[in-house]
Amino acid sequence: MKPAGRRGTTAGDPGWSNCVFCGTAVGKSARSREHIIPMWLLRATGDPHRKIKIESDPVTGADVLRPASTFHFPACEPCNAKYGKTLEKRAKKAVESLMAGKSLEVSECYWLLDWLDKVRVGLWLGYNMLHKEEFAPKFRIDQRIGIKDRIAVISVDRNDTTKGFGFGGLDNQIFRTSQAGMFFRINNIRILSLSFDGMISRFAGMPFPEKMLALSDDPDRHVAVMGRTDYKIQQNWKEFQIPGATVIAQSSFWFRNCADDKSFGLWINKNTIPRFKKIPKLRKAADLDQFVQSLLISNATGSFKYHQNSRQRIRFGLAQENSDLTFVRALYLAFLRYVLPLNPQEQIRSDGTRQSTILLAMLWIEKSVQLALRFRQVGIWDERTFGPVVEELQKVYRAWEELRANTLGEWAQDASATLVFAAPE
C-alpha cells in the first residue's frame, strides 16, 4: 500500500487515492470530498471561502494560506454520506447549542466527543497527505473514534460575539505520532480535546497503565504495567480541570487486554460494570475484539461523577481565565504529564526482561525537548513544570550510557551526568 496523500494505491494508476474514513482505495469517478473542517462550521464562523492559515511551512516556517473551503481530502461516497447523515448532523446541533449558551444532553455529549475524535484524527491524516509523508498510516478515522480514553474541556462565553475558528497544539511530535490532543476555537467556544490510551482512567477510578513497554519483536505493539486502583473517582483532575470550564470524558479498554482471569477480574467486576455505557456480551471469541466505553464523566454538577441518565442535561461554564493561551498551556501540560510518560522508553522481551534502546530513548528525548521549546514559545517556563522533564531526560541519558557500556563491554565513567536547561533571558 502506498503512502496516504500520494495518488495511487495501485501501481501505475494515478487515478486512485485513499478514503480518509475507511482507507479504501477509491477511483476518481467514485471519489467525494471530505471537509475535515465541515462546511457548516465554516459558514457559522465567517466566509467559508476566506483564506486561513493551514499550517507553517516545515522548511521556511512561513504561513501556508489557502481558502478554507479547499481544505478537503478524498473520501468514498458511502463513508461521506454516512458520516454526513449521522455524526456531522448531530455535531452541528451540539455545537450550535453551545454557541447559543445552551446545555447538552448526555447523549449529545457522546456525539460531540466522537466528532472531536473525527476532527483530530482527520487533521492528522490531512497533514500527512499535504506533506506526502513517507509512511502509510495504519488506520483511518473509522478505526480511531471512541477507542481510547478521551476528554474535552469546554468553555463557553455567552457574551462573546467573535466569529472565526482556529487550532493549536498540532505542531509537535506527540500530535504527529499519536494525535493525542488539540486546542479548538469555534466562535465563542474554546475546547481542549485529548485522547490517549489509559490517559484519564486513573482519575476515573478505573484500572490504568502506570507505564507502557514496547514489545521487542514488534515495537509498534505495547504492553502496560498496571497501577493499583481503588475504583474511586477522583476529584482532582489537575491540568484537565481549567477552573470554570466544564469537563466531559470517557474511559475505555479493549477486551483483548484481558490476557488471563486476573486481568479480566481487574476490568470486569462489581465496581466497573455499573460504569459501562453498554454492558458487553461475551458469547464467542470474536466478542473479545471490542472496545468497551464507560458512561460519561463530567464535573458539570460541581463534582466529577458518572452520568447514567442519557437525557440528563450538562451545562457548560466559562473558564475563569478564558484565553487561547490558557488552553494551549493546559494542552502542553497534559502532553507533558499524562501523554509523554506513557510513551515507551523500554522494550520487554518474551522472557519478561526489559531493556532500553537508543531508538526509544531518542524518540522520547525528541518529544520532551520539543515540548520544552513549545512552552518557551508561549512564554511559560518554571522549575515546577520542567523539573520532571529534566529528571526523565537524566534517566534516559543514564539508560543510554548503561546500554552503551554493556554493548562495549565496559561501564560508562560518568553515568550520573546532569542535563541542565537554561531559562530564557
Side-chain angles (χ1 to χ4, degrees):
M1 181 174 175
K2 289 190 175 182
R6 299 195 172 208
R7 295 203 167 195
T9 53
T10 304
D13 184 354
W16 292 80
S17 58
N18 298 94
C19 173
V20 73
F21 292 109
C22 67
T24 300
V26 288
K28 190 173 183 179
S29 61
R31 192 184 311 159
S32 62
R33 295 174 177 176
E34 160 56 22
H35 289 82
I36 299 300
I37 310 303
M39 288 299 294
W40 63 261
L41 190 146
L42 293 178
R43 296 188 184 99
T45 55
D47 178 3
H49 305 297
R50 66 192 182 276
K51 286 189 176 182
I52 62 171
K53 177 184 175 181
I54 298 297
E55 61 174 339
S56 297
D57 186 281
V59 177
T60 66
D63 290 349
V64 177
L65 303 176
R66 61 188 291 177
S69 58
T70 66
F71 191 53
H72 54 70
F73 300 94
C76 66
E77 291 182 353
C79 280
N80 216 348
K82 179 186 74 172
Y83 276 87
K85 291 178 180 178
T86 55
L87 185 56
E88 287 295 343
K89 182 178 180 180
R90 291 180 171 98
K92 180 175 183 288
K93 179 183 176 182
V95 171
E96 287 176 345
S97 293
L98 288 176
M99 287 191 293
K102 298 179 180 179
S103 59
L104 299 181
E105 289 187 353
V106 166
S107 60
E108 293 177 301
C109 292
Y110 291 128
W111 287 109
L112 182 59
L113 288 171
D114 282 351
W115 182 72
L116 289 170
D117 282 348
K118 177 244 178 187
V119 172
R120 196 179 56 256
V121 176
L123 285 171
W124 175 77
L125 290 167
Y127 286 133
N128 273 359
M129 293 181 186
L130 288 176
H131 294 161
K132 295 181 172 60
E133 298 287 0
E134 294 298 330
F135 64 90
K138 296 182 179 180
F139 58 85
R140 296 300 194 278
I141 291 173
D142 269 354
Q143 294 84 41
R144 277 298 184 273
I145 291 183
I147 69 169
K148 297 175 181 284
D149 281 15
R150 55 188 184 169
I151 182 171
V153 184
I154 302 175
S155 174
V156 180
D157 186 349
R158 295 169 180 80
N159 299 316
D160 186 354
T161 59
T162 302
K163 291 282 187 179
F165 76 90
F167 297 98
L170 311 183
D171 56 346
N172 59 85
Q173 285 300 96
I174 287 183
F175 178 81
R176 289 168 184 161
T177 58
S178 63
Q179 317 83 48
M182 67 177 183
F183 164 62
F184 197 4
R185 173 79 181 272
I186 309 171
N187 289 351
N188 61 333
I189 308 169
R190 286 183 171 87
I191 303 176
L192 200 61
S193 170
L194 296 117
S195 180
F196 198 70
D197 292 302
M199 183 173 63
I200 66 159
S201 294
R202 69 176 65 208
F203 305 105
M206 296 291 280
F208 65 92
E210 206 162 51
K211 187 176 184 179
M212 302 295 287
L213 303 170
L215 298 181
S216 59
D217 57 349
D218 186 358
D220 288 333
R221 294 181 59 203
H222 304 155
V223 296
V225 177
M226 300 302 295
R228 187 179 299 275
T229 179
D230 57 7
Y231 296 101
K232 295 179 181 178
I233 187 168
Q234 296 184 23
Q235 294 305 312
N236 182 11
W237 286 48
K238 300 180 182 178
E239 281 74 32
F240 296 134
Q241 191 174 9
I242 299 175
T246 302
V247 172
I248 56 175
Q250 273 186 299
S251 176
S252 66
F253 75 96
W254 188 36
F255 268 123
R256 286 288 183 190
N257 287 337
C258 301
D260 50 38
D261 290 344
K262 182 178 180 181
S263 59
F264 191 88
L266 184 67
W267 291 104
I268 311 295
N269 55 59
K270 65 180 182 180
N271 295 299
T272 60
I273 290 176
R275 297 173 174 178
F276 293 156
K277 181 183 175 185
K278 181 180 179 181
I279 304 299
K281 295 180 180 179
L282 299 176
R283 296 175 178 172
K284 52 185 183 297
D287 290 338
L288 294 175
D289 291 318
Q290 62 176 301
F291 285 85
V292 180
Q293 296 175 316
S294 75
L295 293 166
L296 188 80
I297 306 164
S298 178
N299 65 341
T301 59
S303 61
F304 284 92
K305 67 178 185 177
Y306 287 92
H307 296 271
Q308 191 168 19
N309 183 357
S310 63
R311 301 297 298 274
Q312 181 179 352
R313 302 202 71 86
I314 303 293
R315 182 163 291 279
F316 293 81
L318 172 64
Q320 294 175 13
E321 295 184 20
N322 192 43
S323 68
D324 294 353
L325 179 62
T326 298
F327 277 74
V328 171
R329 179 182 185 276
L331 174 65
Y332 287 136
L333 279 173
F335 280 171
L336 177 67
R337 295 181 180 173
Y338 306 122
V339 177
L340 187 60
L342 290 177
N343 280 248
Q345 292 177 255
E346 294 179 312
Q347 287 185 345
I348 184 169
R349 298 189 182 101
S350 57
D351 61 4
T353 58
R354 305 178 189 180
Q355 69 177 94
S356 301
T357 70
I358 293 177
L359 176 60
L360 289 177
M362 295 308 296
L363 288 173
W364 195 95
I365 289 175
E366 178 186 27
K367 293 174 182 177
S368 60
V369 170
Q370 193 177 64
L371 277 182
L373 293 175
R374 294 291 176 265
F375 274 102
R376 291 186 66 166
Q377 289 173 350
V378 297
I380 301 170
W381 190 279
D382 63 80
E383 185 176 349
R384 183 181 68 86
T385 297
F386 290 98
V389 173
V390 175
E391 291 174 6
E392 291 298 324
L393 285 172
Q394 290 173 4
K395 291 178 184 177
V396 172
Y397 181 81
R398 286 194 294 268
W400 179 83
E401 286 289 340
E402 181 179 339
L403 178 64
R404 184 172 69 91
N406 289 338
T407 301
L408 298 175
E410 59 183 15
W411 290 101
Q413 296 299 313
D414 185 10
S416 59
T418 301
L419 299 177
V420 179
F421 277 114
E425 297 180 357

